[in-house]
Amino acid sequence: MITKADASELRVAIYARYSTDRQDARSIDDQVRRCRGYALSAGYTVAAEYADAAVSGAHLERAEMQKMLRETQRRGAPLFKAVLVDDLSRLSRDLGNTWKIVFEDLASVGVKVIDVTTGMASDGAGARLTFGAMALVNDTFLQLVRAETHRGLQGRALSGFWTGGRVYGYATVEEENPPDPEHRRKISVIAPVEAAIVRRVFQLFADGLSLKKLAALLNAEGVSAPHDH
């Protein structure tokens, strides 16, 4: 942990993120508020703030995350010497990505990560062990969520309900008399107009028309592509 004396002239950044449907934009505000409070009590100066809203922590393709990493790599001294996160899972829930961000990308330019919830800094004694354990817990949670999500989708499919996404030729309608009115499930039904196009495409292909000529024919007739609807 960094003491107030150590941090008297330390410039820091704040990174916040939320991803699940149980959170909203206020989650970002809450995280930033807690990080700002921590910075104030420790004597830090907040030089930058980054926030990714409604983005999964399972990957690094996040606009604000990438912006933060780019700004630590710029020529000259970085804008900040530490990144504050409300807890390490906000940075990432993937074990490998967490290690890369903390101990490769940021550490290589002299920028540390501080978990505000625990007060642990990534350059502290035993930090690699502690951060590694915390990252492992976050990663385990991610794997459990994936498994539960897959199991739930499989159950829906086996029961004849829609599992998400779009399939050309089909539409969705809400189930009748749902057991849980606040969480209505959807059932797939054939979309007559699209279904007629699908049958025609298969027939033309069976008659020997190539995929390239099929596409040209549909374009010439002004038939919308599946994702143009």
Side-chain angles (χ1 to χ4, degrees):
M1 183 182 298
I2 299 176
T3 67
K4 186 168 184 178
D6 297 325
S8 59
E9 296 181 1
L10 185 62
R11 293 167 63 84
V12 302
I14 293 173
Y15 178 79
R17 178 189 63 81
Y18 78 88
S19 60
T20 73
D21 58 3
R22 294 181 181 180
Q23 298 173 314
D24 56 30
R26 288 171 296 182
S27 175
I28 292 286
D29 295 337
D30 290 340
Q31 292 173 49
V32 171
R33 173 176 52 78
R34 286 190 288 267
C35 288
R36 279 193 165 276
Y38 185 91
L40 180 64
S41 65
Y44 302 156
T45 298
V46 177
E49 293 182 8
Y50 306 91
D52 284 305
V55 182
S56 171
H59 59 80
L60 296 180
E61 298 307 312
R62 303 175 237 148
E64 289 290 284
M65 166 63 73
Q66 291 302 319
K67 179 181 178 182
M68 181 183 75
L69 293 176
R70 283 196 306 271
E71 292 186 348
T72 63
Q73 300 292 330
R74 70 176 195 161
R75 290 187 177 183
L79 291 173
F80 44 86
K81 298 296 291 182
V83 175
L84 304 184
V85 290
D86 187 41
D87 69 75
L88 196 60
S89 68
R90 300 304 88 202
L91 205 60
S92 177
R93 283 197 179 275
D94 179 87
L95 177 60
N97 287 341
T98 300
W99 193 268
K100 183 178 185 300
I101 295 168
V102 177
F103 296 113
E104 294 179 23
D105 296 336
L106 296 179
S108 66
V109 291
V111 176
K112 64 194 73 176
V113 173
I114 302 174
D115 180 313
V116 167
T117 299
T118 64
M120 289 291 298
S122 60
D123 66 339
R128 284 179 171 251
L129 177 61
T130 303
F131 271 60
M134 292 163 63
L136 180 59
V137 171
N138 293 333
D139 188 271
T140 300
F141 174 81
L142 176 63
Q143 302 311 317
L144 288 173
V145 169
R146 284 174 172 169
E148 290 175 359
T149 299
H150 184 268
R151 184 167 60 247
L153 290 175
Q154 184 182 49
R156 280 196 174 199
L158 292 173
S159 298
F161 294 103
W162 198 247
T163 58
R166 297 183 61 183
V167 178
Y168 193 76
Y170 291 89
T172 58
V173 296
E174 290 187 346
E175 64 179 326
E176 296 183 1
N177 303 315
D180 184 357
E182 293 186 2
H183 298 87
R184 294 174 178 267
R185 294 169 294 186
K186 293 187 177 181
I187 302 171
S188 61
V189 296
I190 294 175
V193 175
E194 292 183 0
I197 295 172
V198 171
R199 286 192 288 267
R200 181 185 175 213
V201 166
F202 273 87
Q203 185 60 57
L204 289 172
F205 183 74
D207 292 341
L209 199 64
S210 69
L211 294 177
K212 185 175 182 180
K213 289 183 178 180
L214 262 173
L217 175 64
L218 295 173
N219 286 333
E221 294 179 354
V223 177
S224 300
H227 294 291
D228 289 342
H229 289 256

Short mmCIF file of all heavy atoms in Angstrom, two decimals, residues 126-169:
data_model
loop_
_atom_site.label_atom_id
_atom_site.label_comp_id
_atom_site.label_asym_id
_atom_site.label_seq_id
_atom_site.Cartn_x
_atom_site.Cartn_y
_atom_site.Cartn_z
N GLY A 126 4.84 -8.47 -2.40
CA GLY A 126 3.91 -9.58 -2.59
C GLY A 126 2.75 -9.27 -3.51
O GLY A 126 1.78 -10.02 -3.56
N ALA A 127 2.84 -8.15 -4.25
CA ALA A 127 1.72 -7.73 -5.09
C ALA A 127 1.41 -8.72 -6.20
O ALA A 127 0.25 -8.95 -6.54
CB ALA A 127 2.01 -6.35 -5.69
N ARG A 128 2.46 -9.32 -6.76
CA ARG A 128 2.22 -10.27 -7.85
C ARG A 128 1.38 -11.45 -7.37
O ARG A 128 0.47 -11.91 -8.07
CB ARG A 128 3.54 -10.76 -8.45
CG ARG A 128 4.20 -9.70 -9.35
CD ARG A 128 5.51 -10.18 -9.93
NE ARG A 128 5.96 -9.23 -10.94
CZ ARG A 128 5.98 -9.46 -12.25
NH1 ARG A 128 5.60 -10.63 -12.71
NH2 ARG A 128 6.39 -8.54 -13.09
N LEU A 129 1.67 -11.94 -6.19
CA LEU A 129 0.90 -13.04 -5.63
C LEU A 129 -0.53 -12.60 -5.34
O LEU A 129 -1.50 -13.29 -5.70
CB LEU A 129 1.57 -13.56 -4.36
CG LEU A 129 0.83 -14.69 -3.62
CD1 LEU A 129 0.69 -15.91 -4.52
CD2 LEU A 129 1.57 -15.04 -2.33
N THR A 130 -0.67 -11.44 -4.69
CA THR A 130 -2.00 -10.96 -4.32
C THR A 130 -2.84 -10.62 -5.54
O THR A 130 -4.00 -11.04 -5.65
CB THR A 130 -1.89 -9.72 -3.41
OG1 THR A 130 -1.10 -10.05 -2.26
CG2 THR A 130 -3.27 -9.26 -2.97
N PHE A 131 -2.27 -9.87 -6.46
CA PHE A 131 -3.01 -9.50 -7.67
C PHE A 131 -3.33 -10.73 -8.50
O PHE A 131 -4.40 -10.83 -9.11
CB PHE A 131 -2.21 -8.49 -8.49
CG PHE A 131 -2.48 -7.06 -8.12
CD1 PHE A 131 -2.22 -6.60 -6.84
CD2 PHE A 131 -2.98 -6.16 -9.04
CE1 PHE A 131 -2.46 -5.29 -6.47
CE2 PHE A 131 -3.23 -4.84 -8.70
CZ PHE A 131 -2.97 -4.40 -7.40
N GLY A 132 -2.39 -11.69 -8.54
CA GLY A 132 -2.63 -12.92 -9.28
C GLY A 132 -3.80 -13.69 -8.70
O GLY A 132 -4.65 -14.22 -9.43
N ALA A 133 -3.88 -13.75 -7.36
CA ALA A 133 -4.97 -14.46 -6.70
C ALA A 133 -6.30 -13.75 -6.97
O ALA A 133 -7.33 -14.39 -7.24
CB ALA A 133 -4.71 -14.55 -5.20
N MET A 134 -6.29 -12.42 -6.89
CA MET A 134 -7.51 -11.66 -7.14
C MET A 134 -7.96 -11.84 -8.58
O MET A 134 -9.16 -12.00 -8.86
CB MET A 134 -7.27 -10.18 -6.84
CG MET A 134 -7.05 -9.88 -5.36
SD MET A 134 -6.29 -8.25 -5.06
CE MET A 134 -7.54 -7.15 -5.69
N ALA A 135 -7.01 -11.82 -9.51
CA ALA A 135 -7.34 -11.99 -10.92
C ALA A 135 -7.89 -13.39 -11.18
O ALA A 135 -8.78 -13.58 -12.01
CB ALA A 135 -6.10 -11.74 -11.79
N LEU A 136 -7.35 -14.38 -10.47
CA LEU A 136 -7.83 -15.76 -10.63
C LEU A 136 -9.28 -15.88 -10.17
O LEU A 136 -10.10 -16.54 -10.81
CB LEU A 136 -6.93 -16.72 -9.84
CG LEU A 136 -7.30 -18.21 -9.92
CD1 LEU A 136 -7.27 -18.69 -11.36
CD2 LEU A 136 -6.34 -19.02 -9.05
N VAL A 137 -9.61 -15.22 -9.05
CA VAL A 137 -10.99 -15.23 -8.56
C VAL A 137 -11.92 -14.59 -9.59
O VAL A 137 -13.01 -15.10 -9.89
CB VAL A 137 -11.09 -14.50 -7.21
CG1 VAL A 137 -12.55 -14.30 -6.81
CG2 VAL A 137 -10.35 -15.28 -6.13
N ASN A 138 -11.50 -13.44 -10.15
CA ASN A 138 -12.31 -12.75 -11.15
C ASN A 138 -12.51 -13.61 -12.39
O ASN A 138 -13.59 -13.64 -12.98
CB ASN A 138 -11.66 -11.42 -11.54
CG ASN A 138 -11.64 -10.42 -10.40
OD1 ASN A 138 -12.50 -10.46 -9.52
ND2 ASN A 138 -10.67 -9.53 -10.40
N ASP A 139 -11.43 -14.28 -12.81
CA ASP A 139 -11.50 -15.14 -13.99
C ASP A 139 -12.43 -16.32 -13.74
O ASP A 139 -13.21 -16.72 -14.61
CB ASP A 139 -10.10 -15.64 -14.36
CG ASP A 139 -10.08 -16.38 -15.69
OD1 ASP A 139 -10.29 -17.62 -15.70
OD2 ASP A 139 -9.85 -15.72 -16.71
N THR A 140 -12.37 -16.89 -12.54
CA THR A 140 -13.24 -18.01 -12.19
C THR A 140 -14.70 -17.59 -12.24
O THR A 140 -15.57 -18.33 -12.75
CB THR A 140 -12.90 -18.54 -10.78
OG1 THR A 140 -11.53 -18.97 -10.76
CG2 THR A 140 -13.81 -19.70 -10.39
N PHE A 141 -14.99 -16.39 -11.73
CA PHE A 141 -16.35 -15.85 -11.80
C PHE A 141 -16.80 -15.74 -13.25
O PHE A 141 -17.93 -16.11 -13.60
CB PHE A 141 -16.40 -14.48 -11.13
CG PHE A 141 -17.73 -13.78 -11.27
CD1 PHE A 141 -18.79 -14.11 -10.42
CD2 PHE A 141 -17.92 -12.81 -12.23
CE1 PHE A 141 -20.02 -13.47 -10.56
CE2 PHE A 141 -19.14 -12.18 -12.37
CZ PHE A 141 -20.20 -12.51 -11.53
N LEU A 142 -15.91 -15.26 -14.11
CA LEU A 142 -16.24 -15.11 -15.53
C LEU A 142 -16.57 -16.46 -16.16
O LEU A 142 -17.55 -16.58 -16.91
CB LEU A 142 -15.05 -14.47 -16.27
CG LEU A 142 -15.19 -14.31 -17.79
CD1 LEU A 142 -16.34 -13.38 -18.13
CD2 LEU A 142 -13.89 -13.80 -18.39
N GLN A 143 -15.77 -17.48 -15.85
CA GLN A 143 -16.02 -18.81 -16.41
C GLN A 143 -17.35 -19.38 -15.91
O GLN A 143 -18.07 -20.03 -16.67
CB GLN A 143 -14.87 -19.76 -16.05
CG GLN A 143 -13.49 -19.30 -16.51
CD GLN A 143 -13.45 -18.89 -17.97
OE1 GLN A 143 -14.03 -19.55 -18.83
NE2 GLN A 143 -12.78 -17.79 -18.26
N LEU A 144 -17.68 -19.12 -14.64
CA LEU A 144 -18.94 -19.61 -14.10
C LEU A 144 -20.13 -18.93 -14.78
O LEU A 144 -21.13 -19.57 -15.09
CB LEU A 144 -19.00 -19.36 -12.59
CG LEU A 144 -18.09 -20.23 -11.72
CD1 LEU A 144 -18.13 -19.77 -10.27
CD2 LEU A 144 -18.50 -21.71 -11.82
N VAL A 145 -20.00 -17.62 -15.02
CA VAL A 145 -21.07 -16.89 -15.71
C VAL A 145 -21.25 -17.43 -17.11
O VAL A 145 -22.39 -17.63 -17.58
CB VAL A 145 -20.74 -15.37 -15.76
CG1 VAL A 145 -21.70 -14.65 -16.71
CG2 VAL A 145 -20.84 -14.77 -14.37
N ARG A 146 -20.15 -17.69 -17.81
CA ARG A 146 -20.24 -18.25 -19.16
C ARG A 146 -20.95 -19.61 -19.15
O ARG A 146 -21.81 -19.89 -19.98
CB ARG A 146 -18.84 -18.41 -19.75
CG ARG A 146 -18.22 -17.10 -20.21
CD ARG A 146 -16.79 -17.30 -20.65
NE ARG A 146 -16.24 -16.10 -21.26
CZ ARG A 146 -14.95 -15.94 -21.55
NH1 ARG A 146 -14.09 -16.91 -21.26
NH2 ARG A 146 -14.53 -14.83 -22.11
N ALA A 147 -20.57 -20.46 -18.19
CA ALA A 147 -21.17 -21.79 -18.11
C ALA A 147 -22.67 -21.70 -17.81
O ALA A 147 -23.49 -22.40 -18.41
CB ALA A 147 -20.46 -22.61 -17.04
N GLU A 148 -23.04 -20.81 -16.87
CA GLU A 148 -24.44 -20.66 -16.51
C GLU A 148 -25.24 -20.07 -17.67
O GLU A 148 -26.39 -20.46 -17.90
CB GLU A 148 -24.56 -19.76 -15.28
CG GLU A 148 -24.05 -20.42 -14.00
CD GLU A 148 -24.07 -19.48 -12.81
OE1 GLU A 148 -24.47 -18.30 -13.01
OE2 GLU A 148 -23.70 -19.90 -11.70
N THR A 149 -24.64 -19.13 -18.40
CA THR A 149 -25.31 -18.53 -19.55
C THR A 149 -25.56 -19.58 -20.63
O THR A 149 -26.65 -19.67 -21.20
CB THR A 149 -24.47 -17.38 -20.13
OG1 THR A 149 -24.31 -16.37 -19.13
CG2 THR A 149 -25.15 -16.76 -21.35
N HIS A 150 -24.53 -20.39 -20.90
CA HIS A 150 -24.66 -21.43 -21.92
C HIS A 150 -25.73 -22.44 -21.51
O HIS A 150 -26.54 -22.88 -22.33
CB HIS A 150 -23.32 -22.14 -22.11
CG HIS A 150 -23.35 -23.16 -23.22
ND1 HIS A 150 -23.65 -24.49 -22.99
CD2 HIS A 150 -23.13 -23.05 -24.55
CE1 HIS A 150 -23.60 -25.15 -24.12
NE2 HIS A 150 -23.30 -24.31 -25.08
N ARG A 151 -25.74 -22.81 -20.22
CA ARG A 151 -26.73 -23.76 -19.74
C ARG A 151 -28.14 -23.19 -19.87
O ARG A 151 -29.08 -23.89 -20.26
CB ARG A 151 -26.43 -24.11 -18.29
CG ARG A 151 -27.36 -25.18 -17.71
CD ARG A 151 -26.86 -25.74 -16.39
NE ARG A 151 -26.73 -24.72 -15.37
CZ ARG A 151 -25.58 -24.31 -14.86
NH1 ARG A 151 -24.44 -24.83 -15.28
NH2 ARG A 151 -25.54 -23.38 -13.93
N GLY A 152 -28.29 -21.90 -19.56
CA GLY A 152 -29.59 -21.25 -19.67
C GLY A 152 -30.07 -21.18 -21.11
O GLY A 152 -31.24 -21.43 -21.40
N LEU A 153 -29.16 -20.85 -22.03
CA LEU A 153 -29.52 -20.78 -23.45
C LEU A 153 -29.89 -22.15 -23.98
O LEU A 153 -30.83 -22.29 -24.78
CB LEU A 153 -28.36 -20.20 -24.25
CG LEU A 153 -28.06 -18.71 -24.04
CD1 LEU A 153 -26.81 -18.31 -24.80
CD2 LEU A 153 -29.24 -17.85 -24.46
N GLN A 154 -29.14 -23.18 -23.55
CA GLN A 154 -29.45 -24.54 -23.97
C GLN A 154 -30.84 -24.95 -23.49
O GLN A 154 -31.62 -25.56 -24.24
CB GLN A 154 -28.40 -25.50 -23.43
CG GLN A 154 -28.58 -26.94 -23.91
CD GLN A 154 -27.53 -27.86 -23.32
OE1 GLN A 154 -27.30 -27.85 -22.11
NE2 GLN A 154 -26.87 -28.64 -24.17
N GLY A 155 -31.16 -24.59 -22.24
CA GLY A 155 -32.48 -24.90 -21.71
C GLY A 155 -33.58 -24.22 -22.48
O GLY A 155 -34.63 -24.82 -22.77
N ARG A 156 -33.35 -22.96 -22.85
CA ARG A 156 -34.35 -22.23 -23.64
C ARG A 156 -34.56 -22.91 -24.99
O ARG A 156 -35.69 -23.07 -25.45
CB ARG A 156 -33.89 -20.80 -23.86
CG ARG A 156 -34.14 -19.88 -22.69
CD ARG A 156 -34.04 -18.44 -23.10
NE ARG A 156 -34.42 -17.53 -22.03
CZ ARG A 156 -34.77 -16.27 -22.22
NH1 ARG A 156 -34.79 -15.78 -23.43
NH2 ARG A 156 -35.10 -15.50 -21.20
N ALA A 157 -33.44 -23.27 -25.65
CA ALA A 157 -33.54 -23.88 -26.97
C ALA A 157 -34.30 -25.21 -26.91
O ALA A 157 -35.16 -25.49 -27.75
CB ALA A 157 -32.13 -24.09 -27.54
N LEU A 158 -33.99 -26.02 -25.90
CA LEU A 158 -34.66 -27.31 -25.76
C LEU A 158 -36.15 -27.16 -25.47
O LEU A 158 -36.94 -28.05 -25.78
CB LEU A 158 -33.98 -28.14 -24.66
CG LEU A 158 -32.56 -28.62 -24.96
CD1 LEU A 158 -31.95 -29.27 -23.72
CD2 LEU A 158 -32.57 -29.60 -26.14
N SER A 159 -36.51 -26.01 -24.88
CA SER A 159 -37.92 -25.75 -24.58
C SER A 159 -38.64 -25.05 -25.73
O SER A 159 -39.82 -24.72 -25.62
CB SER A 159 -38.04 -24.90 -23.30
OG SER A 159 -37.49 -25.58 -22.19
N GLY A 160 -37.90 -24.79 -26.81
CA GLY A 160 -38.50 -24.17 -27.98
C GLY A 160 -38.52 -22.66 -27.97
O GLY A 160 -39.21 -22.04 -28.80
N PHE A 161 -37.74 -22.04 -27.08
CA PHE A 161 -37.71 -20.59 -27.01
C PHE A 161 -36.49 -20.02 -27.74
O PHE A 161 -35.48 -20.71 -27.94
CB PHE A 161 -37.72 -20.11 -25.56
CG PHE A 161 -39.00 -20.43 -24.83
CD1 PHE A 161 -39.05 -21.48 -23.93
CD2 PHE A 161 -40.14 -19.69 -25.06
CE1 PHE A 161 -40.23 -21.78 -23.26
CE2 PHE A 161 -41.33 -19.97 -24.39
CZ PHE A 161 -41.37 -21.04 -23.50
N TRP A 162 -36.59 -18.76 -28.11
CA TRP A 162 -35.53 -18.07 -28.84
C TRP A 162 -34.34 -17.81 -27.93
O TRP A 162 -34.51 -17.46 -26.77
CB TRP A 162 -36.07 -16.75 -29.39
CG TRP A 162 -35.25 -16.14 -30.50
CD1 TRP A 162 -34.54 -14.99 -30.45
CD2 TRP A 162 -35.09 -16.66 -31.80
NE1 TRP A 162 -33.94 -14.73 -31.65
CE2 TRP A 162 -34.26 -15.76 -32.52
CE3 TRP A 162 -35.55 -17.80 -32.46
CZ2 TRP A 162 -33.88 -15.96 -33.84
CZ3 TRP A 162 -35.19 -18.00 -33.78
CH2 TRP A 162 -34.36 -17.09 -34.45
N THR A 163 -33.13 -17.95 -28.48
CA THR A 163 -31.93 -17.75 -27.66
C THR A 163 -31.15 -16.50 -28.05
O THR A 163 -30.07 -16.26 -27.52
CB THR A 163 -31.00 -18.97 -27.78
OG1 THR A 163 -30.64 -19.17 -29.15
CG2 THR A 163 -31.66 -20.21 -27.23
N GLY A 164 -31.70 -15.70 -28.96
CA GLY A 164 -31.04 -14.45 -29.34
C GLY A 164 -30.48 -14.51 -30.75
O GLY A 164 -30.44 -15.56 -31.39
N GLY A 165 -30.04 -13.35 -31.24
CA GLY A 165 -29.52 -13.29 -32.60
C GLY A 165 -30.64 -13.16 -33.62
O GLY A 165 -31.83 -13.10 -33.28
N ARG A 166 -30.26 -13.11 -34.91
CA ARG A 166 -31.24 -12.98 -35.99
C ARG A 166 -31.02 -14.07 -37.01
O ARG A 166 -29.89 -14.39 -37.38
CB ARG A 166 -31.12 -11.61 -36.66
CG ARG A 166 -31.40 -10.43 -35.75
CD ARG A 166 -31.33 -9.12 -36.51
NE ARG A 166 -32.30 -9.07 -37.58
CZ ARG A 166 -32.41 -8.05 -38.44
NH1 ARG A 166 -31.59 -7.04 -38.35
NH2 ARG A 166 -33.32 -8.07 -39.39
N VAL A 167 -32.12 -14.68 -37.46
CA VAL A 167 -32.07 -15.70 -38.50
C VAL A 167 -33.04 -15.29 -39.60
O VAL A 167 -34.24 -15.13 -39.35
CB VAL A 167 -32.45 -17.09 -37.95
CG1 VAL A 167 -32.44 -18.13 -39.07
CG2 VAL A 167 -31.49 -17.51 -36.85
N TYR A 168 -32.51 -15.11 -40.79
CA TYR A 168 -33.34 -14.68 -41.92
C TYR A 168 -34.41 -15.73 -42.21
O TYR A 168 -34.13 -16.92 -42.27
CB TYR A 168 -32.46 -14.46 -43.15
CG TYR A 168 -33.16 -13.72 -44.28
CD1 TYR A 168 -33.34 -12.35 -44.20
CD2 TYR A 168 -33.61 -14.39 -45.40
CE1 TYR A 168 -33.96 -11.65 -45.24
CE2 TYR A 168 -34.23 -13.72 -46.44
CZ TYR A 168 -34.41 -12.35 -46.34
OH TYR A 168 -35.04 -11.67 -47.37
N GLY A 169 -35.64 -15.27 -42.34
CA GLY A 169 -36.74 -16.19 -42.59
C GLY A 169 -37.60 -16.43 -41.35
O GLY A 169 -38.64 -17.08 -41.43
#
